[in-house]
C-alpha cells in the first residue's frame, strides 16, 4: 500500500478464522487490532476492543464455520461495539456467508438470509465483502454495498498448473443446477462439459414447497375430462430418473465444480457413476470447503482423487484425516479488495473477465 496511509485501517477478527485474518493483515502490512472475543460461563458472547478506533476504518474478518451461530453473534456484537465506539466505517469481511443456502422460501419456513442481512446492517456494518454467494441475488437483501468476489480465477489456475494433461479433461456439473458454472469453466478452459442427471437424494430445488400443496377440491369422476370450474388441478409429483451422465467422460479426467462442499455424499455418488462411465481420474473443485460430519472419511474411501477448496473456511482438522484435500490461499484477493475499498479505488479489476455464472 505504498503512497497511501494505512494508519486508520484496523483489522479485527473473531474466533472463526484467525489464521486468514493474519494472512490478510500481513499482506496489507498492518497489524491486527487488539480485540478479545470470548464466552462467559453462561455462554454469552463478550467483545472487548483494546485500542481506540475513533475515526478509524474497521475491517472485521469473520467467516462461517460449523459453530455458525456463535460466528454470527460475534460478528454482530463486534460491529455494534465498533459503531458505539465512533468508528468511521465498519466493513464485514465474510468469505463464507452463513445461512446463504436458506435464501428461498420453503413451505412454512422463512428466508433466513434476509433476516441475517437485516441484522448485519442494523448492527453497524456499512459494507460487506464476501466470496461466491450461493445465489448472487442475495446481494439485494442488504441495505449496504456487497462485493461478491470470485474464486474461479484461482481454481482455473490450479486446473491449468496442477492437473497433468488437463486438456484431456471434461468439466462436470454435479446436477443440472450447476450447469451454468460448469459451462463457464469449460468455456474458459476450452473443454467439453458433462452433466449428471438424476440423484440418489433430493436436490435442493426439489424440497417440499408450500406453494405446491394440493388444494381442497371436491371428489370428481376421473373418467371424464375435468372442467376448469371444478378447481385447481393437482400438481404431479416429480420422479427422479436413475443417476446417469449426459456427456462423454470415458478415458478422460472428470472435474466437478461447485460453490461449496458440505455434505459430500452426493459428490461421492457422482464420482462412483463417473468412474463406472470410464473417467480415469476425478477432481472436485469448490470455493467453500465446509466438509461437515464424516466428510474426510467418505472422501478418503471414495473414487475421488483430489478435493480442492480455498481457505474461506478453516479445515485443517479435516486435512489431517484425509490426504486428498488440497487448499488454495485466497487471502491475496481479500487483502486487495480491502486495499481498494480503503483507497476508494475501482473494484471492477477484481471482476475483470469474470462472468456472473462463475
Amino acid at each position: 500500500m505504498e503512497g497511501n496511509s494505512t494508519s486508520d485501517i484496523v483489522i479485527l477478527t473473531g474466533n472463526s478464522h484467525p489464521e486468514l485474518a493474519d494472512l490478510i493483515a500481513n499482506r496489507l502490512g498492518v497489524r491486527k487490532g487488539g480485540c478479545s472475543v470470548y464466552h462467559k460461563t453462561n455462554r454469552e458472547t463478550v467483545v472487548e476492543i483494546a485500542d481506540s478506533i475513533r475515526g478509524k476504518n474497521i475491517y472485521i474478518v469473520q467467516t462461517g464455520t460449523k459453530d455458525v451461530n456463535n460466528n454470527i453473534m460475534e460478528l454482530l456484537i463486534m460491529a455494534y461495539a465498533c459503531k458505539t465506539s465512533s468508528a468511521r466505517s465498519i466493513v464485514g469481511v465474510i468469505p463464507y456467508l452463513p445461512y446463504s443456502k436458506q435464501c428461498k422460501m420453503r413451505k412454512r419456513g422463512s428466508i433466513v438470509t434476509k433476516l441475517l442481512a437485516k441484522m448485519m446492517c442494523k448492527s453497524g456494518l456499512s459494507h460487506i465483502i464476501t466470496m461466491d454467494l450461493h445465489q448472487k441475488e442475495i446481494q439485494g437483501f442488504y441495505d449496504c454495498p456487497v462485493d461478491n468476489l470470485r474464486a474461479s480465477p484461482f481454481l482455473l489456475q490450479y486446473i491449468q498448473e496442477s492437473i497433468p494433461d488437463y486438456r484431456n479433461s471434461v468439466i462436470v456439473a454435479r446436477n443440472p443446477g450447476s450447469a451454468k458454472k460448469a459451462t463457464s469453466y469449460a468455456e474458459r478452459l476450452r473443454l467439453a462439459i458433462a452433466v449428471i442427471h438424476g440423484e440418489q437424494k433430493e436436490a435442493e430445488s426439489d424440497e417440499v414447497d408450500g406453494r405446491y400443496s394440493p388444494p381442497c377440491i371436491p371428489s370428481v369422476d376421473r373418467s371424464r375430462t375435468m372442467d376448469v370450474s371444478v378447481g385447481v388441478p393437482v400438481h404431479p409429483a416429480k420422479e427422479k430418473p436413475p443417476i446417469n451422465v449426459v456427456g462423454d467422460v470415458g478415458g478422460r479426467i472428470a472435474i466437478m465444480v461447485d460453490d461449496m462442499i458440505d455434505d459430500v455424499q452426493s459428490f461421492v455418488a457422482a464420482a462412483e457413476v463417473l468412474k463406472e462411465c470410464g473417467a480415469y481420474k476425478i477432481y472436485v473443485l469448490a470455493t467453500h470447503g465446509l466438509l461437515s460430519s464424516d466428510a474426510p472419511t467418505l472422501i478418503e474411501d471414495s473414487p475421488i482423487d483430489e478435493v480442492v477448496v480455498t481457505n474461506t473456511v478453516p479445515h485443517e482438522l479435516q486435512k489431517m484425516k484425509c490426504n486428498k484435500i488440497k487448499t488454495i490461499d485466497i487471502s491475496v484477493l481479500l487483502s486487495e479488495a480491502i486495499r481498494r475499498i480503503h483507497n476508494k479505488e475501482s473494484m471492477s479489476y477484481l471482476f475483470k473477465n469474470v462472468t456472473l455464472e462463475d
Side-chain angles (χ1 to χ4, degrees):
M1 294 184 61
E2 292 80 12
N4 296 289
S5 173
T6 60
S7 59
D8 55 349
I9 282 186
V10 178
I11 304 289
L12 299 181
T13 180
N15 296 317
S16 65
H17 205 343
E19 296 83 7
L20 181 60
D22 289 335
L23 290 170
I24 292 171
N26 289 337
R27 289 185 180 278
L28 288 169
V30 301
R31 69 176 184 86
K32 287 199 303 183
C35 181
S36 177
V37 182
Y38 60 93
H39 301 282
K40 298 173 72 174
T41 53
N42 61 357
R43 302 305 298 161
E44 288 183 359
T45 301
V46 180
V47 172
E48 295 177 355
I49 301 175
D51 307 317
S52 172
I53 56 173
R54 183 177 296 273
K56 300 290 182 70
N57 295 311
I58 310 299
Y59 296 86
I60 302 174
V61 180
Q62 183 81 333
T63 193
T65 65
K66 293 180 181 179
D67 194 14
V68 60
N69 294 325
N70 274 330
N71 298 154
I72 291 169
M73 282 308 300
E74 288 179 8
L75 173 65
L76 297 177
I77 296 173
M78 289 172 72
Y80 191 65
C82 294
K83 179 181 178 181
T84 54
S85 298
S86 303
R88 182 190 300 170
S89 66
I90 308 164
V91 179
V93 183
I94 314 168
Y96 169 61
L97 187 69
Y99 287 98
S100 60
K101 293 187 78 170
Q102 296 193 46
C103 59
K104 294 180 181 178
M105 194 67 175
R106 299 295 179 200
K107 207 170 183 180
R108 296 171 187 87
S110 62
I111 303 176
V112 183
T113 315
K114 170 70 171 177
L115 171 64
L116 187 59
K118 287 292 184 185
M119 292 166 65
M120 286 184 179
C121 293
K122 203 71 177 176
S123 69
L125 291 175
S126 56
H127 199 132
I128 303 289
I129 301 173
T130 187
M131 289 194 71
D132 284 333
L133 289 170
H134 187 59
Q135 297 287 342
K136 60 182 180 294
E137 291 82 5
I138 290 173
Q139 296 173 83
F141 292 155
Y142 287 81
D143 296 327
C144 65
V146 177
D147 286 312
N148 182 28
L149 305 178
R150 309 284 194 266
S152 52
F154 295 88
L155 298 175
L156 288 166
Q157 184 181 36
Y158 183 90
I159 292 172
Q160 292 172 317
E161 296 181 359
S162 301
I163 297 182
D165 193 26
Y166 83 92
R167 290 291 183 190
N168 188 35
S169 301
V170 58
I171 305 297
V172 179
R174 184 173 55 91
N175 52 47
S178 304
K180 279 189 176 180
K181 181 182 283 289
T183 301
S184 179
Y185 276 75
E187 288 174 350
R188 293 177 187 283
L189 295 167
R190 311 295 191 270
L191 299 175
I193 182 174
V195 180
I196 295 177
H197 181 52
E199 292 183 287
Q200 291 184 336
K201 74 173 195 176
E202 287 189 341
E204 184 187 353
S205 59
D206 295 332
E207 292 177 9
V208 177
D209 192 319
R211 292 173 297 179
Y212 298 137
S213 55
C216 181
I217 58 176
S219 177
V220 295
D221 183 6
R222 296 292 176 183
S223 62
R224 64 180 178 81
T225 303
M226 181 182 290
D227 193 275
V228 176
S229 61
V230 172
V232 180
V234 177
H235 196 74
K238 288 183 179 180
E239 285 190 19
K240 298 189 76 65
I243 188 168
N244 64 89
V245 180
V246 181
D248 182 22
V249 297
R252 307 174 82 175
I253 300 170
I255 304 174
M256 283 189 279
V257 294
D258 215 329
D259 61 328
M260 69 176 74
I261 304 177
D262 189 3
D263 182 6
V264 301
Q265 289 180 350
S266 58
F267 288 94
V268 171
E272 289 171 351
V273 172
L274 290 170
K275 203 74 173 177
E276 290 172 5
C277 291
Y280 73 90
K281 217 163 189 183
I282 301 169
Y283 290 81
V284 177
L285 274 68
T287 303
H288 311 297
L290 297 175
L291 302 170
S292 301
S293 189
D294 54 350
T297 305
L298 290 172
I299 293 170
E300 191 69 36
D301 298 336
S302 74
I304 298 172
D305 293 284
E306 204 165 275
V307 173
V308 183
V309 293
T310 71
N311 59 341
T312 56
V313 177
H315 50 263
E316 291 305 314
L317 291 177
Q318 289 90 328
K319 287 180 71 174
M320 291 172 64
K321 299 177 183 177
C322 178
N323 295 323
K324 295 181 179 180
I325 301 172
K326 310 294 181 186
T327 308
I328 298 174
D329 179 21
I330 44 80
S331 61
V332 62
L333 180 61
L334 294 170
S335 58
E336 178 63 12
I338 292 172
R339 188 192 71 79
R340 286 175 176 270
I341 289 171
H342 177 67
N343 294 328
K344 299 179 175 60
E345 296 178 15
S346 171
M347 293 283 285
S348 60
Y349 177 79
L350 300 182
F351 302 102
K352 188 177 181 182
N353 295 327
V354 179
T355 63
L356 291 175
E357 287 77 27
D358 285 352

